[in-house]
């Protein structure tokens, strides 16, 4: 990359520019590196520079507001940041939590406040390469997640796939599934959530994936490659998941450690049935992320098998 030391990426809309200017000055006064699109040079290839900045950022600070919830650019920056496994530090300025960051702690700035000493220390830890969980220094009332109608989410999924953005579509698919059973704020599905998954939604998701992958991706392909657990293995358990993971390319060998999401999708070739992975990259900061992924996948596939959804 041709730019200097990576800085915290500020994702926002122009409607919130006044707060973002104060925030950037506040962080820079604390000797923290910051990058926002106002620093783009004349003639810069915007998508390429933004992608590089997102991939290198110590963390991505998303300003959450009604305007940013509606912003296609903010959504793409969140999806790209999740693709590269970046930590997220959302700041709630107004309104509700962003649906793609519903399971991530946030800093409450609805009073116009700026991050304090505790938050600044955590940001420095991230710059220094030390593990630091996303800050939630001022716990307050529960803030609901922004409501996104399912038809809107399906349209976004369709648009991402039409553009060939399979990884973005994968993350959107997971959010769709979580939202369907009110588990966005948890970030994963329990096996008991299986019966609550709408079969119509599963069929719609499968249809869209199949259409834009020439029949190579989707739930129907996954079911064809792994219709049920191995002989003697209980359905919905570890050996069942492992059989599916091996059959669609999430794992290459038995006993192989599952790579983080960024590494899992770092390829130009995806085997048939690889997508949707049903993974939530934001959970990978927790030690139990693989168990939560297993439960999510098995909840979906149990519902698919019992409902007869075949694409």
């Amino acid at each position: 990359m041709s730019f200097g030391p990576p800085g915290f990426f500020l994702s926002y809309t122009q409607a919130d520019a006044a707060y973002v200017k104060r925030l950037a000055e506040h962080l820079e006064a604390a000797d923290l590196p910051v990058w926002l699109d106002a620093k783009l040079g004349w003639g810069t290839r915007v998508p390429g520079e933004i992608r590089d900045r997102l991939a290198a950022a110590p963390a991505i600070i998303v300003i959450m507001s009604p305007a940013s919830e509606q912003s296609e650019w903010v959504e793409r920056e969140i999806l790209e940041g999740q693709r590269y496994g970046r930590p997220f530090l959302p700041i709630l300025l107004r309104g509700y939590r962003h649906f793609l960051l519903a399971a991530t702690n946030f800093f409450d700035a609805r009073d116009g406040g700026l991050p304090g000493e505790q938050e600044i220390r955590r940001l420095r830890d991230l710059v220094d390469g030390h593990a630091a969980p996303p800050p939630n220094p001022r716990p307050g009332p529960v803030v609901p997640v922004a409501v996104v109608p399912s038809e809107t989410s399906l349209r976004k999924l369709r648009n991402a796939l039409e553009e060939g953005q399979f990884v973005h579509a994968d993350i959107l698919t997971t959010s769709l599934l979580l939202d369907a059973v009110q588990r966005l704020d948890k970030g994963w599905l329990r096996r008991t959530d299986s019966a609550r998954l709408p079969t119509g939604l599963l069929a719609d998701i499968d249809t869209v994936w199949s259409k834009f992958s020439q029949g190579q991706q989707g739930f129907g392909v996954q079911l064809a490659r792994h219709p049920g657990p191995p002989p003697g293995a209980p359905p919905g358990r570890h050996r069942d998941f492992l059989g599916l993971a091996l059959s669609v390319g999430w794992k290459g060998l038995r006993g192989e450690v599952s790579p983080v999401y960024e590494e899992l999708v770092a390829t130009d070739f995806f085997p048939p049935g690889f997508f949707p992975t049903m993974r939530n990259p934001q959970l990978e900061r927790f030690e139990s992320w693989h168990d939560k992924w297993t439960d999510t996948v098995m909840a979906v596939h149990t519902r698919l098998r019992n409902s007869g959804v075949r694409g």
Side-chain angles (χ1 to χ4, degrees):
M1 301 177 192
S2 59
F3 49 79
F8 290 99
F9 188 102
L10 301 188
S11 180
Y12 68 102
T13 65
Q14 284 303 309
D16 304 321
Y19 177 83
V20 170
K21 183 176 184 294
R22 290 175 52 224
L23 174 65
E25 291 172 349
H26 178 65
L27 297 181
E28 288 174 336
D31 293 323
L32 290 168
V34 173
W35 190 88
L36 62 163
D37 59 7
K39 297 184 177 183
L40 282 169
W42 191 9
T44 302
R45 293 181 67 251
V46 175
E49 169 114 4
I50 287 178
R51 182 177 60 249
D52 291 344
R53 294 282 179 178
L54 285 164
I60 299 169
I61 300 175
V62 179
I63 308 304
M64 298 189 296
S65 70
S68 69
E69 179 69 36
Q70 298 300 317
S71 169
E72 180 180 326
W73 271 108
V74 170
E75 181 171 293
R76 285 175 181 252
E77 288 165 358
I78 294 172
L79 290 168
E80 196 71 5
Q82 292 194 12
R83 172 191 184 127
Y84 289 112
R86 297 297 81 204
F88 281 85
L89 307 175
I91 293 179
L92 180 63
L93 190 59
R94 290 183 299 277
Y96 305 109
R97 292 178 291 160
H98 196 289
F99 81 108
L100 286 173
L101 298 173
T104 304
N105 291 335
F106 63 90
F107 177 81
D108 192 344
R110 287 175 291 177
D111 60 358
L114 295 167
E117 292 183 8
Q118 180 180 354
E119 296 78 56
I120 295 298
R121 283 197 301 271
R122 293 188 184 272
L123 292 172
R124 288 201 179 105
D125 283 341
L126 285 167
V127 171
D128 294 338
H130 303 310
N136 191 14
R138 294 190 288 176
V142 175
V143 177
V145 180
V147 176
V148 179
S150 58
E151 60 270 20
T152 301
S153 296
L154 281 168
R155 175 178 53 77
K156 291 179 178 181
L157 175 62
R158 190 176 298 109
N159 290 344
L161 286 168
E162 192 170 15
E163 295 172 7
Q165 298 287 345
F166 278 26
V167 177
H168 288 187
D170 188 41
I171 298 169
L172 285 168
T173 297
T174 301
S175 295
L176 260 169
L177 296 170
L178 295 171
D179 188 42
V181 294
Q182 293 80 53
R183 293 281 294 178
L184 265 174
D185 59 336
K186 305 301 181 185
W188 61 288
L189 296 178
R190 302 161 298 188
R191 288 186 175 92
T192 53
D193 293 318
S194 176
R196 300 169 56 209
L197 285 165
T199 56
L201 175 63
L202 295 176
D204 287 342
I205 291 172
D206 182 62
T207 297
V208 175
W209 271 102
S210 180
K211 176 181 178 180
F212 290 104
S213 66
Q214 291 73 51
Q216 293 298 298
Q217 305 296 337
F219 295 136
V221 181
Q222 292 177 354
L223 284 167
R225 297 180 71 84
H226 183 76
R237 299 297 172 179
H238 176 71
R239 286 181 59 196
D240 194 358
F241 170 81
L242 179 59
L244 173 61
L246 290 168
S247 69
V248 299
W250 299 337
K251 289 179 180 285
L253 298 169
R254 292 182 182 274
E256 178 185 66
V257 176
S258 294
V260 296
Y261 189 78
E262 177 185 3
E263 296 171 358
L264 183 71
V265 299
T267 178
D268 293 326
F269 170 76
F270 300 105
F274 185 91
F275 291 117
T277 68
M278 292 155 274
R279 274 189 52 176
N280 183 351
Q282 287 299 288
L283 292 182
E284 293 180 2
R285 64 186 185 273
F286 302 117
E287 290 184 1
S288 60
W289 72 265
H290 194 279
D291 292 337
K292 290 177 169 58
W293 178 35
T294 300
D295 286 349
T296 299
V297 169
M298 288 294 92
V300 173
H301 269 261
T302 297
R303 184 59 164 164
L304 291 168
R305 294 168 187 170
N306 292 341
S307 65
V309 173
R310 290 292 184 272

